[in-house]
Amino acid sequence: MKLQGRRESTNVEDRRGKSGGRKASLGIGGMIVVGLLMWIMGGNPFDVLQQVGGMGLSDGAETEYVPTEEEQRLFTFSKIIFASTEDVWTDLFAQRGLTYKSPKLVIFHSKTTSGCGNASSATGPFYCSADQTVYIDLSFFSQMETQLKAGGDFAYAYVIAHEVGHHVQYLLGKLDQVHRQQSRMNQVERNRLNVRLELQADFYAGVWANHENKRFQSIEDKDIADGLNAASQIGDDRLQMEAQGYTVPDAFNHGTSAQRMRWLKKGIQTGNPDDGDTFSPNYPDL
């Protein structure tokens, strides 16, 4: 992506110098893998948090932390992408007579705490509506490249824009509505409703990309290919096949590779948030 000279969001908190408490039993490496699978398989990342919730975060004392050159590049990159989401969604909300209140972005290393509970690298990127904050450990982008073969700047931007998409859903009342409905459903019904929620967040990520590119001509064909590849690599069907050699559709709760690519691509093509109704179509038609 072409991002030189761009504004960096100031609504970002860098917690990479904050220390955590004792390590959880899995170890950080193992937790990253488990949390990565949890996120891409559609599970609630806080299921992982519950398991490691006793790891005992400290009071946030400062420790010496020296990021790598690549991590610093990704830190600046994330602030630029986040700034772009702020600008795009502020305009899109204003066009509809609404006010966009941007979420906060927290960059952490290894472990942190959120309004939704303790978090670690295992959690993967997530949005917490309790404090309206997006949380990212930048090591996740390395995991995308090495484990999922889904690298590239636009692939990483897609992840950030997807989480911001959940914030858009929160502001529009859809996130809370879905969570209330899920509380009255069985597991299969909850999963299917979650697929609809996640596909809409994919669509909103595409909407952001459409307007980002209109403003700055920052996205090239290869970038789009990287983003669609990432959407394909994190489809529930693909991940289940790789993990166990067969799929369990009733356990899908982020969407198949084809669905995730379709809705991301639709957002990129239309740029119209009103075209992202993933809740009305029959489930097989998503």
Side-chain angles (χ1 to χ4, degrees):
M1 296 181 67
K2 301 175 182 177
L3 301 173
Q4 293 80 5
R6 294 279 299 278
R7 179 178 82 85
E8 299 176 17
S9 175
T10 58
N11 195 24
V12 179
E13 180 182 351
D14 183 3
R15 293 186 186 173
R16 291 175 298 170
K18 304 285 186 178
S19 64
R22 63 183 182 275
K23 294 182 179 179
S25 59
L26 270 177
I28 292 301
M31 290 195 300
I32 289 175
V33 175
V34 173
L36 175 65
L37 289 175
M38 176 68 71
W39 179 75
I40 56 188
M41 292 289 284
N44 185 337
F46 299 104
D47 290 345
V48 177
L49 300 187
Q50 294 295 328
Q51 296 172 27
V52 299
M55 66 185 177
L57 290 172
S58 73
D59 60 3
E62 297 290 338
T63 59
E64 183 179 0
Y65 178 74
V66 181
T68 65
E69 182 177 340
E70 173 62 9
E71 187 180 358
Q72 277 303 95
R73 184 190 77 81
L74 289 171
F75 180 59
T76 299
F77 168 85
S78 298
K79 291 191 291 182
I80 291 173
I81 297 300
F82 204 69
S84 176
T85 67
E86 293 170 338
D87 296 340
V88 166
W89 286 110
T90 294
D91 284 354
L92 289 174
F93 268 54
Q95 290 170 18
R96 288 156 179 77
L98 302 172
T99 299
Y100 180 71
K101 179 183 177 182
S102 176
K104 183 178 179 179
L105 175 63
V106 167
I107 304 292
F108 70 97
H109 174 72
S110 183
K111 60 193 82 165
T112 192
T113 186
S114 77
C116 298
N118 292 340
S120 75
S121 301
T123 312
F126 67 94
Y127 170 70
C128 174
S129 60
D131 56 15
Q132 299 180 47
T133 301
V134 173
Y135 292 84
I136 298 178
D137 183 326
L138 297 176
S139 67
F140 182 80
F141 295 141
S142 297
Q143 299 292 330
M144 286 180 64
E145 182 171 12
T146 58
Q147 295 184 16
L148 296 177
K149 309 303 179 187
D153 282 352
F154 186 71
Y156 307 149
Y158 159 50
V159 169
I160 296 171
H162 173 96
E163 298 307 332
V164 172
H166 285 311
H167 179 66
V168 172
Q169 292 171 323
Y170 170 76
L171 294 178
L172 297 177
K174 180 58 70 175
L175 197 62
D176 287 342
Q177 179 185 349
V178 166
H179 290 162
R180 287 194 300 270
Q181 291 174 330
Q182 287 178 319
S183 68
R184 303 188 295 270
M185 294 176 169
N186 61 42
Q187 187 61 53
V188 173
E189 292 172 330
R190 287 198 296 270
N191 287 342
R192 291 189 172 190
L193 192 55
N194 208 70
V195 166
R196 296 179 184 274
L197 194 70
E198 295 297 333
L199 292 180
Q200 187 177 66
D202 282 341
F203 172 82
Y204 285 155
V207 169
W208 161 76
N210 175 288
H211 291 273
E212 157 68 20
N213 196 47
K214 282 182 179 178
R215 287 165 173 250
F216 298 105
Q217 293 75 53
S218 57
I219 301 174
E220 300 177 327
D221 289 345
K222 183 185 181 302
D223 295 316
I224 298 297
D226 287 343
L228 293 175
N229 173 61
S232 175
Q233 296 293 343
I234 59 178
D236 290 327
D237 53 341
R238 185 184 188 99
L239 291 167
Q240 286 189 3
M241 281 297 297
E242 290 182 353
Q244 59 195 23
Y246 60 92
T247 63
V248 183
D250 283 345
F252 295 170
N253 65 6
H254 264 61
T256 66
S257 294
Q259 289 172 328
R260 302 201 70 171
M261 291 174 67
R262 182 183 308 126
W263 283 97
L264 174 61
K265 187 175 182 179
K266 183 177 181 179
I268 293 171
Q269 290 175 334
T270 72
N272 183 357
D274 299 332
D275 291 337
D277 179 10
T278 58
F279 295 90
S280 297
N282 292 328
Y283 188 75
D285 297 333
L286 287 172

